[in-house]
Amino acid sequence: MTARAQPQFALRPYLPQDAEALADIFRASIEELTEDDYSPEQQRAWASAADDGEKFAARLGGNLTLIATLEGTPVGFITLKDNRSIELLYVHPAVARHGVGGLLLEAVEKLAAARGAAQLVVDASDTAREFFARRGFVPEQRNSVFVGDEWLTSTTMKKRLKQGSAP
């Protein structure tokens, strides 16, 4: 019998040349991981946010964006806006439920706390709501937003941070 090691994920900051790979992760995550909660039309409307490559890259570059890698290849990412709001958290379906999302979220929580943030806020998709709840985020309100020609639902969730956490 051969033992197989757990994958070793690493974190690094976003670089402009990462935009296309992260757009691919964004689309794949939506298309393959949200089908139980959103219709194909809703998924297409949601994923279309990455169709304008320059706009998507500007969104990534305009926030603190961390990338999880496996053997140097991006497999997930998270963005933090204004040191208080998680704007994007997406993981490639091939590594979903292997700790990538938790690794990214933990890193952002520590960075935000070290920079003085008292809490983090996220508008969690219906698919991600349980993920955030298991990590201490509390639901505050339900939301409906019109994207393309579709209504998408999410839940605004908040988490108090421990002050003085080192990154």
Side-chain angles (χ1 to χ4, degrees):
M1 178 163 71
T2 308
R4 187 171 179 178
Q6 282 287 97
Q8 293 296 311
F9 301 107
L11 295 178
R12 67 170 176 79
Y14 167 77
L15 300 170
Q17 60 265 32
D18 295 318
E20 188 175 334
L22 300 191
D24 290 343
I25 291 169
F26 177 81
R27 287 187 200 96
S29 179
I30 292 166
E31 292 166 4
E32 297 181 40
L33 301 176
T34 67
E35 61 192 7
D36 290 342
D37 300 302
Y38 298 94
S39 71
E41 295 79 18
Q42 289 172 312
Q43 290 174 306
R44 277 191 291 279
W46 183 359
S48 72
D51 289 350
D52 182 335
E54 288 182 22
K55 188 174 178 182
F56 191 74
R59 187 174 182 190
L60 295 168
N63 295 302
L64 169 68
T65 300
L66 295 179
I67 298 173
T69 62
L70 178 61
E71 297 177 4
T73 301
V75 293
F77 65 98
I78 189 169
T79 63
L80 179 66
K81 181 177 182 177
D82 299 330
N83 202 46
R84 67 172 300 274
S85 178
I86 297 167
E87 293 290 301
L88 303 168
L89 173 53
Y90 291 86
V91 173
H92 193 281
V95 296
R97 296 172 191 79
H98 285 89
V100 175
L103 179 70
L104 288 162
L105 182 58
E106 183 179 336
V108 162
E109 286 179 7
K110 287 179 180 179
L111 285 168
R115 294 174 172 185
Q119 69 178 4
L120 284 178
V121 177
V122 65
D123 286 335
S125 69
D126 292 350
T127 304
R129 191 173 52 225
E130 270 307 307
F131 168 84
F132 286 104
R134 285 192 310 271
R135 285 155 181 83
F137 283 76
V138 178
E140 296 279 324
Q141 72 180 34
R142 290 287 287 160
N143 310 300
S144 292
V145 294
F146 200 62
V147 177
D149 293 331
E150 297 293 326
W151 286 99
L152 300 176
T153 56
S154 66
T155 302
T156 299
M157 302 179 79
K158 295 181 180 177
K159 179 179 182 176
R160 291 227 167 274
L161 298 177
K162 296 178 183 173
Q163 295 303 301
S165 299

